[in-house]
Amino acid sequence: MSTSDSSSLKFSLESLNNGGSLANKCGIVITEMGPDRVSGTMPVAGNTQPYGLLHGGASAVLAESLGSIHAMALAPAGKLAVGVDLNCTHHRSAREGVVTGTSSVAHAGRSTASLEVVIHNEAGKRICTARLTCNYIDAPR
């Protein structure tokens, strides 16, 4: 799906990849958006701790960005997804290259959605597993 019109809001990959959001500041690029998964990439460079490792907070930004977009793509008509819980387990570090995250649905209901986001390095090794839970609230009119 390249465009979503759930919640009477329209967004496309192009609109998600442009603008002044935190995801854009971290260099996140959404590469795939559909009902079953949302994927994106983020460079390690510029998103590190002072000693050169990928910052855990940057992994959290990637996870919440992908999961929130996924929840919005699944949102019931007239609803917005808002994150209420994010849990990240960091399995290994990355020092260079690009990491890729993929969101998949753990639960999609009328009032909540839970997404699992797995982040891999360029060698395909898992560096982070995250779970995001979103509540659906009424969209502004």
Side-chain angles (χ1 to χ4, degrees):
M1 161 186 348
S2 62
T3 303
S4 174
D5 61 0
S6 60
S7 301
S8 302
L9 300 175
K10 294 190 187 238
F11 53 94
S12 66
L13 288 177
E14 182 179 351
S15 67
L16 293 170
N17 288 323
N18 293 310
S21 70
L22 178 58
N24 295 126
K25 290 178 177 155
C26 290
I28 294 171
V29 175
I30 306 304
T31 57
E32 179 181 1
M33 183 173 64
D36 297 324
R37 78 173 163 233
V38 172
S39 297
T41 60
M42 181 179 69
V44 173
N47 292 306
T48 59
Q49 299 171 347
Y51 38 92
L53 299 175
L54 178 64
H55 197 294
S59 293
V61 170
L62 177 59
E64 185 153 0
S65 297
L66 297 174
S68 293
I69 291 165
H70 201 171
M72 279 302 302
L74 300 169
K79 298 289 185 178
L80 289 176
V82 293
V84 295
D85 182 64
L86 176 65
N87 174 282
C88 298
T89 301
H90 305 286
H91 308 292
R92 66 175 32 91
S93 63
R95 291 186 176 273
E96 61 186 12
V98 173
V99 294
T100 300
T102 301
S103 171
S104 60
V105 179
H107 167 78
R110 291 180 308 215
S111 60
T112 64
S114 292
L115 300 304
E116 179 184 58
V117 180
V118 176
I119 302 172
H120 292 91
N121 63 18
E122 289 178 314
K125 293 185 177 182
R126 186 181 293 224
I127 65 165
C128 179
T129 303
R131 186 196 68 247
L132 173 67
T133 301
C134 292
N135 282 346
Y136 290 124
I137 63 170
D138 292 333
R141 297 179 194 249

